[in-house]
Amino acid sequence: MSPLLEQFLSEARDFLQGIGEKLMQLEAAPADADLMNELFRLVHTLKGNSGLFDAPEMTRVLHAGEDLMDAVRNGRVAYSRPLADRLLDAMDFVGMLCDELESDGQLGAAHAGDSVRLVDALRHLLQPDDAPAEAPAPESTPESAPAPTASLAEPTPVADTASLPLASIPEAVRMQAYRRACAGEPLSWLAYRPHEQCFYQGDDPFFLARQTPELLWSRIEAREPWPPLAELDAYSCMLDFQLLTAAPRAALEEQYRYVMDQVQTTEVPRLALVMPQGDPNGGPVYDDFAADARRLLQTGDLEGLARNASTLLELSSPDLWIASALRWLQLVLETEPENKAILDALVDCLGSLAAPQWGTAGAAETHTASASTSIRQDPAPRNERGQEAEGVADASDEATPALSPLAADALAAVVAAQGEVLALTDEPRWLPGRLKAAAAALSGCLRATGATAKLQDLEAATAAALARNSGAPLLTWIAAVFPAELVGEPGAAAPVTAAPPSPAHSAPQPPEAEGEIKFGRRAEDAISGPKSLKVDQAKIDRLMNLIGEMVVAKNALPYLAGRAEAVFGVRELAREIKGHYGVINRIAEEMQGAIMQIRMMPVSFVFQRFPRLVRDISRKLGKEVELILEGEDTEADKTIIESLGDPLMHIVRNSLDHGIESPELRRAAGKPATGTLRLRAMQESDRVVIEISDDGKGIDPDIIKRKAYAKGLIDETLLEQISDQEAVNLVFAAGFSTTEVISDLSGRGVGMDVVRTAVEKVNGSVALTSQQGRGTQIRLSLPLSMAVTNVMIVVSDGQRFGVPMDRVVETVRVPRAAIRTIKHSLATVLRGRIVPLKSINDLLGLSAPPKANADDELAVLVVRLGDESLGLLVDDFSETLDIILKPMTGVLAGLPAYAGSALMGDGSVLMVLNVKEIL
Amino acid sequence: MSKTIMIVDDSATMVLSLKSTLEMNGFKVETAGDGAQALTKLKGGVKPDLIITDINMPNMGGLELIKNVRTLPGLRFTPILTLTTESQAEKRDEGKRLGATGWLVKPVAGPDLVKVIKQVLPGA
Amino acid sequence: MAVEYKKNLVVFHDVVGVEDAEALLEWLQKKRTAKVDLSACTHLHPANLQVLMASKPAVQAWPADAPLRAWLEPILTAP
């Protein structure tokens, strides 16, 4: 798994937890704006993060959740329980996807249905009840990223190019631009007037302008004459940038998206660039040339025309106006010899020495320009333009020119592109402009196919579209005029052939709440996150192991001191070693404490899941339950806290299921209808205690007794004698379950014995008290930490074994004579009580008999086993030690007789007995 | 000389994602978990060439941070990009008004991020 | 340093940032006959550009970076 995914999952779980908690809290305080904002922030951030991964289902659901929360916090939708339910469902789904991402590294294909269902459920809540269902707002999925950026204002009409200082562009640059326009590239004039204060926004307008894609020409101008230097404010931007570019509109919008309000673009038709410049006087006589040229043009002898132009150009000074006009003629002959209208105009101007009059050629140009801007990438520009120019030139002739396959493709692309544009459901300010542009492009298409008769219909559709401010009428028109077969591309065809969308569909969705988000939500800003580090569990474990080794290594020093004195006879050194040992010992202990501290977790880690659980279960059971959590800050070792989860869950479920009564029953019993379930954690010396109490009906000891008897757990005598308190504790006996019908809620057919086993596994204990009709209280007592184990070392058959001190009651030496054999079992009497004895050698399968000391006394280690005491016969006792107990691993893990092993100071390994198991 | 970029986001995932992309592209990265933390760092002498900040954060949000950054002498002209989602057009305009240079739309793809940075940071 | 001030010459190196404009303006106010060497410059923030445009120092060397030179030459060439 990548570190990023790991980070995401870990954070996502925190967020999901937080979302659940906030929703719970909102149930109690539905009007709390801070909570609402925080909740929104969590969902919002989680959605943002999910977009980093290939998890569209997750993003989609979170997006819907975010929209809903946004509506709630803005007061457009009221918070309600069903709303919380659906959000919780959605978050559960997200949690499940997280689990799958964790285990498989990716999401399976099976979730699309669920995600759609959840999104629908969430979106449904977004609609006011009286409004008809609307189409969902356009969603953003990772595929659609990057999200639409701002658009430039629609280019000013082509006619305005006259006002542009195009003449200041050198002829060579204009010719280059012309060539590129002929190759289908769109030409734009861009004027960028940065705000005076823009430097204080981190802008570098010059850098931005320099990076303009497909830059053909540029210039910088001072907005006004410069003041004297002493008055100059270097940081007030007084520069204007003007440039000519062949970049498609989209690329310009992308480049200038942050400053689009400061930029104006104008489409530049290529003919606007054709302006002969130079000295109008002098040079050879041109009348003849103009007459010849016209004749050559009429007879179609373009080669002859080119030859003549070339000759005349050689004879003329390059600075003359006429030379410039000839160069343009050459260029047009080279780039678009089929465009007679332009050639005509150029030849005319050679005769008149006046700027060329484009006439119909200019009209043709207008359509071309708007069409190619809309489709951006014209697949067959030359061909299409050729067709169009002819179409216009032969406007009187109604004959429909047959389209070449290439031209048909181009036409289909143009129409499809308009369809796509018109199908957009956003509602920009420039929608009318967009509609007009599309209409112009479509009109061009009609002319190209010669279907000019349909122009009137198009005009009507355009008028309707503008009146309704919607693309729908034009879409309908497209569907009617350009059938699907014509628009070949399947993807592009969809929007065109689709039935015209209903007004409700194409009506723009209200912009997602943005209008209502007010800046300055200080409340949200005030929420502080805990200052904590997230550390991988494995790293802590490593620290634990290291400190374990440290303790062991440290423990070698006393051995060393002993050897220094005993073997080498240097008492001085021995004392020094002991002195240093003291220091190292202190540091090691503090370090150990500090590391233990790292492993400490608050019980809130397990408590936090209960608000949701209690809410869900009580809802299902039709009960009203108030959950009170106390002492959530109480800390204990991670292992302990984690081991609490399942037992607590079981107890709480039991309490909800069997303890707390239905509201009717409670009222009948004179109790408040709402039951109370209390989870309380506290520290008692070195134990952490968890109390789970309810004010439910309690446990009937008689029922328990009868049941225990029926199940053979107690005999008749005990049935008579057993106290009520003892009876209720029978629920912990293996195989006991209080209700006949196992509900789907409380457990999987297991009883409270599971709780006991789980708690005992971490050296904890459990006790239950109950008052019939008043409630039940269960008390779990667990060690704070299990990392350090205090063991007593015993020796038997020459081997050393550790016995956990919490099992040890006392050590005694019993004279062999005081040991009796009762029914094949050994026993002795200690302080008036009979203590059964077992030989540890027997228990471990060692054949050696127990060894007695010189006084013929046997060493007996008295251990506690539940409520009983038992003596273990060993050969000798040794010291007690703090050890770091390492569980058995590998094949050894299968040996229940040992609780684990520990490394000793001299490098030997100590096996620690699991007393309960060997007995 | 590699440029230093400060990332301010309360989501560790987002920070990690941006940070790794930037470091892979040779930038030095400073991070902060919220606006207040970022401001402390900036006042403490960290001088990034570019700041990328989330909007919605606890303690101090991105907009408040931008306002504050613009009052610090060495950071009057530092480019700032906000991290927004597609539904936050108003926030990014507000950010611009308060002195941000531009915005990034989450989720930010690596190449897009580098492209935008090269666009606002001459010499990057 | 991106801007190097010599006796009567200011030399631009690499990218000249916005913060440099203040000092540049001050310096050029004092050295009305100063020249500017842009040969090693790859970009200059427009704040600096404005200062140059307003103070019109003689350009001793144009940027080696041809596109940059094309931008600057028309506006920084003495009339």
Side-chain angles (χ1 to χ4, degrees):
Chain A
M1 191 167 25
S2 77
L4 185 60
L5 181 56
E6 219 167 286
Q7 174 67 53
F8 166 72
L9 290 172
S10 138
E11 203 175 33
R13 299 226 162 83
D14 286 357
F15 281 143
L16 289 173
Q17 183 64 45
I19 292 166
E21 278 171 17
K22 296 285 173 299
L23 278 170
M24 296 295 122
Q25 291 167 19
L26 270 176
E27 294 214 325
D32 190 326
D34 291 356
L35 268 178
M36 208 81 87
N37 277 327
E38 180 64 8
L39 183 57
F40 170 79
R41 192 179 68 80
L42 290 172
V43 180
H44 174 80
T45 308
L46 185 52
K47 185 207 80 177
N49 288 352
S50 75
L52 294 169
F53 303 94
D54 185 21
E57 292 89 358
M58 191 188 289
T59 308
R60 216 174 290 145
V61 168
L62 285 167
H63 191 131
E66 180 194 14
D67 287 349
L68 183 56
M69 279 322 300
D70 193 43
V72 170
R73 70 175 182 158
N74 286 308
R76 279 183 284 120
V77 173
Y79 179 87
S80 65
R81 276 193 171 192
L83 183 143
D85 283 343
R86 288 194 199 170
L87 267 174
L88 286 170
D89 279 352
M91 294 311 137
D92 286 347
F93 175 72
V94 171
M96 187 196 80
L97 294 184
C98 282
D99 291 345
E100 191 173 322
L101 270 178
E102 178 156 44
S103 57
D104 304 352
Q106 58 181 29
L107 293 183
H111 307 299
D114 284 341
S115 80
V116 168
R117 190 177 51 74
L118 286 165
V119 167
D120 285 350
L122 292 171
R123 296 247 180 249
H124 184 76
L125 290 169
L126 265 173
Q127 287 149 4
D129 293 334
D130 47 83
E134 270 182 54
E139 278 167 33
S140 120
T141 53
E143 296 86 24
S144 73
T149 46
S151 306
L152 293 165
E154 280 294 294
T156 45
V158 174
D160 284 13
T161 49
S163 62
L164 296 178
L166 292 174
S168 51
I169 305 178
E171 182 184 288
V173 175
R174 273 182 286 127
M175 287 191 155
Q176 189 201 346
Y178 189 91
R179 282 176 192 277
R180 296 184 65 163
C182 286
E185 294 182 50
L187 296 179
S188 305
W189 174 269
L190 187 145
Y192 172 26
R193 168 166 284 206
H195 288 157
E196 279 183 27
Q197 294 301 303
C198 74
F199 299 166
Y200 294 100
Q201 291 185 302
D203 281 355
D204 181 336
F206 183 29
F207 191 61
L208 190 62
R210 284 186 68 188
Q211 290 171 300
T212 307
E214 308 302 336
L215 189 61
L216 293 164
W217 175 86
S218 61
R219 74 170 175 194
I220 303 174
E221 272 185 340
R223 232 165 271 180
E224 48 195 67
W226 296 108
L229 281 195
E231 290 163 33
L232 180 71
D233 177 1
Y235 295 132
S236 164
C237 185
M238 297 304 286
L239 300 177
D240 282 350
F241 299 82
Q242 292 162 354
L243 33 102
L244 182 68
T245 157
R249 227 179 135 60
L252 293 177
E253 283 175 358
E254 167 79 13
Q255 172 71 13
Y256 287 95
R257 67 196 177 289
Y258 299 150
V259 293
M260 57 160 194
D261 54 328
Q262 302 159 42
V263 169
Q264 234 198 352
T265 57
T266 312
E267 272 174 29
V268 178
R270 67 191 190 288
L271 291 183
L273 297 168
V274 185
M275 23 173 101
Q277 285 172 322
D279 186 351
N281 302 313
V285 179
Y286 301 101
D287 288 348
D288 291 352
F289 172 80
D292 278 355
R294 211 167 284 124
R295 185 180 47 78
L296 289 168
L297 202 53
Q298 269 155 15
T299 55
D301 184 2
L302 297 183
E303 273 177 44
L305 181 59
R307 231 179 1 254
N308 281 7
S310 166
T311 313
L312 189 61
L313 197 51
E314 275 169 30
L315 296 172
S316 311
S317 155
D319 296 334
L320 292 178
W321 189 94
I322 196 77
S324 174
L326 284 169
R327 285 193 291 268
W328 279 107
L329 180 63
Q330 276 187 322
L331 179 63
V332 175
L333 279 171
E334 179 199 328
T335 52
E336 39 188 344
E338 75 283 3
N339 201 330
K340 297 229 169 42
I342 298 177
L343 290 171
D344 269 340
L346 270 172
V347 168
D348 281 350
C349 90
L350 283 169
S352 64
L353 289 186
Q357 301 296 314
W358 302 117
T360 49
E365 185 58 25
T366 307
H367 296 300
T368 311
S370 56
S372 62
T373 312
S374 318
I375 51 175
R376 278 167 201 175
Q377 277 175 329
D378 192 339
R382 290 271 230 136
N383 218 319
E384 189 213 332
R385 189 181 314 103
Q387 293 290 356
E388 189 179 323
E390 274 168 35
V392 175
D394 306 332
S396 55
D397 181 0
E398 281 293 333
T400 303
L403 289 178
S404 72
L406 205 55
D409 280 353
L411 178 72
V414 173
V415 173
Q418 306 316 315
E420 267 167 15
V421 168
L422 291 169
L424 291 176
T425 53
D426 61 350
E427 190 181 28
R429 287 188 313 280
W430 52 87
L431 184 61
R434 181 193 281 171
L435 294 172
K436 282 183 205 160
L442 291 168
S443 135
C445 293
L446 286 182
R447 289 165 199 275
T449 53
T452 43
K454 290 173 182 151
L455 277 171
Q456 269 192 330
D457 284 354
L458 174 62
E459 271 169 33
T462 308
L466 286 170
R468 285 165 57 183
N469 217 23
S470 152
L474 279 170
L475 278 172
T476 318
W477 181 86
I478 291 179
V481 175
F482 294 95
E485 309 82 74
L486 183 57
V487 186
E489 206 184 326
V496 179
T497 50
S502 68
H505 177 88
S506 60
Q509 202 68 15
E512 303 173 29
E514 356 176 298
E516 283 147 76
I517 302 173
K518 295 283 182 290
F519 165 63
R521 288 175 292 112
R522 296 291 174 283
E524 171 183 297
D525 292 352
I527 294 162
S528 63
K531 293 268 181 293
S532 63
L533 261 186
K534 274 205 178 201
V535 182
D536 189 358
Q537 166 89 51
K539 290 180 185 165
I540 308 277
D541 289 347
R542 173 131 191 279
L543 263 184
M544 281 298 287
N545 287 339
L546 285 174
I547 189 62
E549 283 177 36
M550 176 81 162
V551 168
V552 167
K554 166 207 80 179
N555 286 343
L557 289 179
Y559 287 97
L560 184 60
R563 270 168 63 80
E565 190 170 348
V567 181
F568 302 104
V570 273
R571 170 172 292 199
E572 201 61 16
L573 181 60
R575 221 181 8 249
E576 273 187 43
I577 293 176
K578 278 182 190 159
H580 276 289
Y581 169 73
V583 176
I584 295 175
N585 191 40
R586 180 182 58 77
I587 298 173
E589 275 174 7
E590 275 184 31
M591 209 151 128
Q592 199 173 6
I595 294 171
M596 296 297 170
Q597 210 54 50
I598 298 180
R599 287 180 52 94
M600 295 296 251
M601 283 172 73
V603 294
S604 60
F605 180 78
V606 273
F607 275 16
Q608 64 190 7
R609 66 172 112 158
F610 287 106
R612 171 86 191 273
L613 182 96
V614 170
R615 173 187 183 277
D616 286 358
I617 293 180
S618 56
R619 196 77 65 79
K620 231 185 233 182
L621 294 171
K623 296 179 181 178
E624 297 282 333
V625 181
E626 186 190 4
L627 175 72
I628 299 173
L629 299 177
E630 286 174 18
E632 295 154 276
D633 296 339
T634 313
E635 289 192 324
D637 188 85
K638 186 171 189 293
T639 326
I640 304 290
I641 295 291
E642 283 171 348
S643 71
L644 266 174
D646 284 345
L648 269 185
M649 180 80 76
H650 200 87
I651 293 170
V652 167
R653 285 183 164 184
N654 251 323
S655 186
L656 293 171
D657 216 13
H658 312 306
I660 293 173
E661 316 88 327
S662 64
E664 304 79 53
L665 278 176
R666 290 182 64 89
R667 262 188 235 106
K671 297 198 222 177
T674 302
T676 303
L677 179 63
R678 189 184 300 266
L679 291 185
R680 185 159 162 250
M682 67 212 121
Q683 191 179 334
E684 284 183 359
S685 73
D686 62 343
R687 313 281 288 180
V688 53
V689 173
I690 316 274
E691 276 178 8
I692 306 98
S693 52
D694 66 50
D695 62 349
K697 66 178 179 223
I699 297 173
D700 184 345
D702 288 336
I703 297 180
I704 302 288
K705 277 188 220 170
R706 276 205 300 279
K707 231 172 133 174
Y709 176 67
K711 294 203 174 194
L713 294 171
I714 50 173
D715 56 26
E716 224 162 312
T717 339
L718 215 47
L719 181 62
E720 301 296 322
Q721 292 171 350
I722 195 166
S723 74
D724 285 357
Q725 181 54 46
E726 282 169 322
V728 292
N729 272 294
L730 282 172
V731 295
F732 290 117
F736 192 97
S737 187
T738 42
T739 41
E740 274 73 26
V741 186
I742 294 162
S743 81
D744 66 324
L745 291 171
S746 74
R748 303 122 221 150
V750 287
M752 291 290 280
D753 59 319
V754 176
V755 172
R756 196 199 57 196
T757 315
V759 170
E760 284 179 353
K761 215 178 196 165
V762 291
N763 293 328
S765 62
V766 53
L768 183 149
T769 51
S770 180
Q771 273 184 291
Q772 217 185 325
R774 303 275 293 277
T776 305
Q777 185 192 54
I778 293 174
R779 190 181 152 97
L780 307 179
S781 167
L782 301 143
L784 278 181
S785 157
M786 46 189 319
V788 176
T789 313
N790 190 231
V791 293
M792 160 154 278
I793 296 178
V794 296
V795 182
S796 201
D797 196 20
Q799 298 181 46
R800 290 153 62 87
F801 297 98
V803 177
M805 276 303 278
D806 54 359
R807 288 278 174 201
V808 176
V809 179
E810 60 178 327
T811 58
V812 287
R813 291 195 183 265
V814 180
R816 197 188 288 277
I819 296 177
R820 319 267 168 81
T821 308
I822 305 168
K823 285 192 206 164
H824 307 295
S825 299
L826 297 177
T828 190
V829 177
L830 281 178
R831 285 186 287 280
R833 281 188 70 175
I834 295 175
V835 177
L837 296 178
K838 301 255 183 191
S839 161
I840 198 165
N841 289 357
D842 282 353
L843 295 170
L844 294 176
L846 303 172
S847 52
K851 263 193 233 161
N853 65 1
D855 301 330
D856 204 25
E857 290 168 338
L858 290 170
V860 175
L861 179 74
V862 182
V863 295
R864 182 171 32 230
L865 205 62
D867 292 336
E868 292 170 41
S869 293
L870 189 137
L872 283 177
L873 289 172
V874 298
D875 288 358
D876 202 358
F877 310 115
S878 192
E879 73 271 30
T880 65
L881 264 189
D882 276 348
I883 55 149
I884 309 273
L885 187 63
K886 291 194 181 174
M888 309 291 272
T889 52
V891 269
L892 296 179
L895 296 177
Y898 298 101
S901 65
L903 205 57
M904 303 304 292
D906 59 357
S908 64
V909 172
L910 179 73
M911 302 301 287
V912 178
L913 298 173
N914 185 340
V915 176
K916 201 180 157 203
E917 283 296 330
I918 57 172
L919 293 170
Chain B
M1 195 184 65
S2 66
K3 302 272 181 184
T4 303
I5 296 176
M6 178 181 256
I7 305 168
V8 191
D9 199 311
D10 57 324
S11 160
T13 306
M14 197 51 75
V15 169
L16 181 64
S17 151
L18 295 173
K19 183 174 175 338
S20 51
T21 306
L22 292 176
E23 285 178 344
M24 249 184 324
N25 285 281
F27 293 103
K28 276 193 244 159
V29 177
E30 289 279 341
T31 64
D34 57 48
Q37 225 179 71
L39 207 55
T40 310
K41 277 198 168 185
L42 293 170
K43 284 179 178 166
V46 173
K47 183 151 186 340
D49 298 290
L50 168 72
I51 298 169
I52 299 177
T53 178
D54 189 22
I55 301 265
N56 273 337
M57 288 182 290
N59 292 328
M60 184 193 285
L63 299 177
E64 188 75 18
L65 173 66
I66 294 170
K67 247 195 284 183
N68 277 295
V69 165
R70 288 298 180 224
T71 65
L72 300 178
L75 298 161
R76 286 179 300 172
F77 309 114
T78 306
I80 302 176
L81 297 173
T82 52
L83 270 171
T84 64
T85 53
E86 69 293 331
S87 60
Q88 285 181 309
E90 181 151 310
K91 293 273 174 171
R92 57 189 186 224
D93 291 350
E94 181 77 16
K96 282 266 315 169
R97 204 179 60 70
L98 291 169
T101 314
W103 58 84
L104 293 162
V105 178
K106 290 189 274 191
V108 188
D112 287 351
L113 176 65
V114 174
K115 199 175 133 202
V116 170
I117 289 174
K118 293 205 163 143
Q119 212 175 44
V120 298
L121 210 53
Chain C
M1 274 308 281
V3 184
E4 190 187 347
Y5 298 100
K6 297 190 174 174
K7 216 167 162 194
N8 206 31
L9 176 74
V10 54
V11 186
F12 282 26
H13 295 278
D14 307 321
V15 177
V16 177
V18 57
E19 300 276 7
D20 289 313
E22 245 162 3
L24 178 68
L25 176 58
E26 247 171 71
W27 192 83
L28 284 171
Q29 266 174 280
K30 281 179 273 172
K31 310 253 182 173
R32 299 313 299 256
T33 58
K35 293 183 172 183
V36 52
D37 178 347
L38 300 170
S39 54
C41 181
T42 54
H43 180 71
L44 70 168
H45 189 279
N48 298 289
L49 186 55
Q50 296 190 133
V51 171
L52 293 183
M53 286 169 81
S55 58
K56 303 181 191 70
V59 176
Q60 178 174 297
W62 292 105
D65 179 325
L68 179 61
R69 178 177 182 156
W71 278 93
L72 299 185
E73 223 173 333
I75 42 173
L76 295 182
T77 304

